[in-house]
Amino acid sequence: MTKEYFGWRLTAHLALGGFAISCLLPFLLLFAASVTDDSAIVAHGYTFFPEKFSLGAYEYLYQHSALIFRAYGVTILVTVVGTIASLAMTSMLAYPLSRKDLPGGPALSFIVFFTLLFNGGLVPTYMVYTQVLDIRDTLWAQLVPWLLMNGFNVLLMRAFFVNSVPTAVIESASIDRAGEWTIYSRIVLPLSLPILATIGLFQALAFWNDWNNGLVFIHNPELLNLQNLLNRIMSNIEFLTMNSNLGTGETIAQLPRETFRMAIAVIGIVPVILVYPFFQRYFVKGLTIGAVKG
């Protein structure tokens, strides 16, 4: 290894390391703001080093711990079930679209692509989900909308199947009298772990961060996910703060309005940060495509 090559690698590693560390700065500022006294933030703004340390926002969250734990359970359930179901539906639609011998394949691909450009709007969507599917005030309201609007993921997975799964492998399995389900489940999916992990991550984040479906379709407080529950608590704090004359003004004035926003973001993002490293290795699996018969 020459000195020039070693110097270039050292420079590259330092640059990438510095960039990676800089990506952590927003999260550090977020956490620092969440443990700062609310009055200090109002007076001096956000800083990396709290001028007055306070756990008031987390203490207020602790007062609602029973609701938060239940919302966590709803969010985890919806995220796990929704991600698995979404990957199954996406891959089962993308696989036949990737086969050149599928009758009407281009037309079906265009229909999927069309959904990326146009949608019916909020009112028709609400009518379909509430009057046709009747999923209002059920957990299905947080699952079904994301399962029916993944056209981009379908086309992305279809492109991976076309470009990365050798046609020779599929033809060889067909010659050996393997059925389509066997080819799909035992050949195509094991060779597609990178795209499955990528789309699975996209869908998991979408389910975890979803608040719009709960806002529109959920009225039962026991079915609220974490994002909707925290949004309601935040709305209550803002209402009480703006209308302090309706109650004991001194108590209401002490509510952690600004820091509570940061605490909400912290408890919402920490589980994702903790889980992500365990799934990262799946992005590099399945890259070697072999078993092509000569």
Side-chain angles (χ1 to χ4, degrees):
M1 181 182 297
T2 64
K3 292 183 178 180
E4 293 79 6
Y5 180 72
F6 177 79
W8 180 87
R9 290 194 61 181
L10 179 61
T11 303
H13 280 77
L14 290 176
L16 293 176
F19 177 75
I21 294 176
S22 67
C23 294
L24 294 176
L25 293 180
F27 299 103
L28 296 177
L29 180 61
L30 179 71
F31 177 76
S34 69
V35 294
T36 303
D37 186 79
D38 199 71
S39 60
I41 289 183
V42 174
H44 306 288
Y46 300 99
T47 61
F48 286 100
F49 304 98
E51 296 189 11
K52 185 178 180 182
F53 183 82
S54 173
L55 294 177
Y58 293 99
E59 292 175 356
Y60 190 81
L61 283 173
Y62 181 75
Q63 297 175 8
H64 301 80
S65 57
L67 297 175
I68 292 176
F69 281 127
R70 183 172 59 195
Y72 256 121
V74 172
T75 304
I76 293 173
L77 176 64
V78 169
T79 300
V80 172
V81 175
T83 301
I84 295 174
S86 177
L87 283 177
M89 295 178 62
T90 301
S91 59
M92 285 190 290
L93 177 57
Y95 170 64
L97 292 178
S98 68
R99 296 288 297 271
K100 296 181 180 180
D101 55 348
L102 175 67
L108 295 177
S109 298
F110 174 77
I111 293 176
V112 175
F113 176 74
F114 184 84
T115 62
L116 300 179
L117 304 177
F118 304 98
N119 62 75
L122 179 61
V123 174
T125 301
Y126 182 83
M127 294 176 64
V128 168
Y129 289 150
T130 57
Q131 299 182 14
V132 178
L133 300 180
D134 194 21
I135 60 175
R136 182 172 52 186
D137 271 341
T138 66
L139 288 180
W140 292 108
Q142 302 186 43
L143 285 169
V144 174
W146 284 107
L147 297 179
L148 299 182
M149 295 188 293
N150 56 357
F152 173 77
N153 293 337
V154 172
L155 296 179
L156 190 63
M157 188 171 291
R158 170 185 172 273
F160 184 91
F161 289 160
V162 171
N163 298 322
S164 301
V165 179
T167 306
V169 174
I170 298 177
E171 293 176 348
S172 177
S174 299
I175 294 175
D176 293 338
R177 297 184 179 181
E180 293 295 341
W181 177 256
T182 301
I183 296 174
Y184 160 77
S185 60
R186 303 186 62 179
I187 296 177
V188 175
L189 290 185
L191 294 176
S192 305
L193 289 181
I195 192 64
L196 291 175
T198 302
I199 292 180
L201 179 62
F202 290 162
Q203 287 297 107
L205 291 177
F207 281 110
W208 183 270
N209 293 321
D210 177 51
W211 62 272
N212 183 68
N213 291 323
L215 179 66
V216 176
F217 301 111
I218 300 297
H219 299 93
N220 185 352
E222 296 184 357
L223 298 179
L224 292 176
N225 64 10
L226 182 64
Q227 311 300 335
N228 290 123
L229 176 64
L230 297 179
N231 183 62
R232 287 197 178 187
I233 296 176
M234 188 70 243
S235 299
N236 292 338
I237 291 179
E238 291 183 351
F239 176 81
L240 292 175
T241 304
M242 296 176 62
N243 299 274
S244 57
N245 59 321
L246 298 180
T248 56
E250 183 179 355
T251 303
I252 293 177
Q254 296 175 355
L255 292 177
R257 182 178 180 182
E258 297 297 330
T259 56
F260 188 76
R261 298 176 188 269
M262 305 299 108
I264 286 176
V266 169
I267 69 171
I269 199 173
V270 164
V272 178
I273 296 177
L274 295 178
V275 171
Y276 177 76
F278 296 98
F279 290 90
Q280 185 179 9
R281 61 190 180 95
Y282 290 102
F283 284 92
V284 297
K285 278 190 174 183
L287 296 178
T288 303
I289 301 175
V292 180
K293 290 189 176 181

